[in-house]
Amino acid sequence: MQIIILENPEQVAKNATQWISELFSKRTHPILGLATGSTPINLYQELVKSYQQEKLDFSKVTTFNLDEYHNIAPENAQSYRTFMKENLFDRVNIDQENTHLPTCNNEQNPRWQGLAYEEKIKQAGGIDLQILGIGGNGHIGFNEPTSSLSSRTRLKTLTEQTLVDNSRLFNADEYQPTMAMTMGIATILDAKHVILMATGKNKAKAIKEMITGPVTAMCPASALQMHENAIILLDEEAASELPNQQYFQRVDSEHQKIRDKYGLFL
Ligand code: PGA
């Protein structure tokens, strides 16, 4: 894991944008894994800004999102499709045909729908760079604690904590789905690179467990300890419970010298 501690959420978003720019400059047809939630909103703003300044071109980009609510119409205001359109897809020159979210309706066995998403990722050539947030309970995507570390895209029942955490996003009269289709932990580990972003004090405990705890299904993000190219971008608050912070800062300043000399490694 490359752990990079930055001053604030804006710096986290800017840093993630640099990695994405690097990917776009190195691949003719980049395959980007995307996430929803509050954390990546700053990142999407940065990406839109870079597109407007003609620094980023999305015309050859294919995207795969981590998750989507169960049995929700794409045009529903609460769907992750709507979130992605509002925050990114409708604001850059991406071909919407190349933007994918897992779907799960009631017409077909969810198992097949999950496997079809896996197949789509495979056909595209695999994800080059997967963006991730982390839940207060250590989830990545909607892989809740106790998710199999070998899981693939499938329907998950959300935990009480996730439902409470996300209830802020629903009006009192709106139905809040309790299940979601999500890439599995093994799906995420297949991405060539992953960037996990975490900001704010409410993520500090999960971050400590992910980095310094055992690899355990009780903290699904800890599976990233097994990933060859995991970049963890934290603001100071999310990093606040990490022991050995000076060590991580020192490692990063050594890495920075290498990055300055040779560019980002993707
Ligand atoms: P958040 O969610 O960015 O809204 O905090 C992250 C997650 O649950 O993965």
Side-chain angles (χ1 to χ4, degrees):
M1 282 181 175
Q2 275 195 59
I3 294 146
I4 303 179
I5 304 171
L6 299 148
E7 218 173 301
N8 53 44
E10 290 70 32
Q11 294 303 323
V12 168
K14 283 191 171 45
N15 195 298
T17 301
Q18 286 174 11
W19 291 95
I20 291 172
S21 304
E22 182 74 2
L23 173 71
F24 285 15
S25 70
K26 292 214 167 128
R27 302 266 201 287
T28 328
H29 291 96
I31 315 286
L32 194 56
L34 296 173
T36 49
S38 309
T39 314
I41 289 178
N42 284 334
L43 167 63
Y44 297 144
Q45 281 169 358
E46 283 296 320
L47 293 180
V48 170
K49 210 189 315 162
S50 295
Y51 161 71
Q52 288 166 343
Q53 294 168 345
E54 297 182 9
K55 291 184 191 154
L56 283 183
D57 173 15
F58 287 80
S59 61
K60 304 236 162 46
V61 177
T62 297
T63 63
F64 288 94
N65 264 76
L66 282 169
D67 43 27
E68 176 60 284
Y69 285 122
H70 173 234
N71 209 29
I72 195 165
E75 56 279 4
N76 185 305
Q78 288 292 352
S79 78
Y80 284 165
R81 167 66 71 183
T82 299
F83 175 98
M84 289 310 305
K85 280 168 74 68
E86 286 175 357
N87 285 284
L88 186 68
F89 299 159
D90 286 352
R91 304 172 66 195
V92 295
N93 65 334
I94 199 163
D95 180 348
Q96 306 264 345
E97 290 285 311
N98 294 334
T99 64
H100 307 283
L101 282 90
T103 48
C104 187
N105 54 45
N106 284 335
E107 328 285 75
Q108 244 193 338
N109 187 333
R111 192 85 194 112
W112 294 126
Q113 297 182 65
L115 292 176
Y117 197 62
E118 293 281 327
E119 192 52 35
K120 232 189 249 182
I121 297 173
K122 208 158 120 195
Q123 292 298 327
I127 293 170
D128 291 312
L129 173 61
Q130 175 68 54
I131 300 296
L132 297 170
I134 183 170
N137 62 2
H139 74 201
I140 44 176
F142 272 131
N143 294 285
E144 301 286 33
T146 73
S147 286
S148 159
L149 300 182
S150 300
S151 49
R152 293 274 161 194
T153 305
R154 70 216 183 289
L155 194 57
K156 277 299 288 183
T157 302
L158 307 182
T159 59
E160 214 39 56
Q161 184 180 345
T162 297
L163 291 172
V164 170
D165 286 351
N166 288 358
S167 61
R168 71 187 193 282
L169 305 167
F170 290 81
N171 296 326
D173 59 345
E174 261 178 336
Y175 169 68
Q176 183 181 0
T178 57
M179 289 197 289
M181 197 71 162
T182 180
M183 279 186 201
I185 296 176
T187 322
I188 293 169
L189 292 179
D190 277 351
K192 294 176 192 94
H193 286 77
V194 301
I195 290 183
L196 183 143
M197 298 186 296
T199 58
K201 191 96 190 106
N202 58 333
K203 300 296 168 68
K205 182 170 165 286
I207 287 299
K208 178 180 172 213
E209 284 173 9
M210 169 182 86
I211 296 171
T212 65
V215 175
T216 165
M218 288 310 291
C219 177
S222 67
L224 297 181
Q225 291 178 29
M226 306 293 291
H227 197 286
E228 192 183 356
N229 298 304
I231 299 151
I232 313 297
L233 303 181
L234 307 173
D235 73 350
E236 286 173 358
E237 288 191 352
S240 59
E241 288 190 29
L242 267 185
N244 300 332
Q245 279 196 44
Q246 279 178 342
Y247 175 68
F248 293 128
Q249 300 277 19
R250 202 151 55 77
V251 172
D252 186 45
S253 79
E254 293 302 330
H255 277 162
Q256 190 57 49
K257 288 179 203 155
I258 297 171
R259 291 195 288 262
D260 288 345
K261 186 157 177 205
Y262 300 103
L264 300 180
F265 182 74
L266 269 178

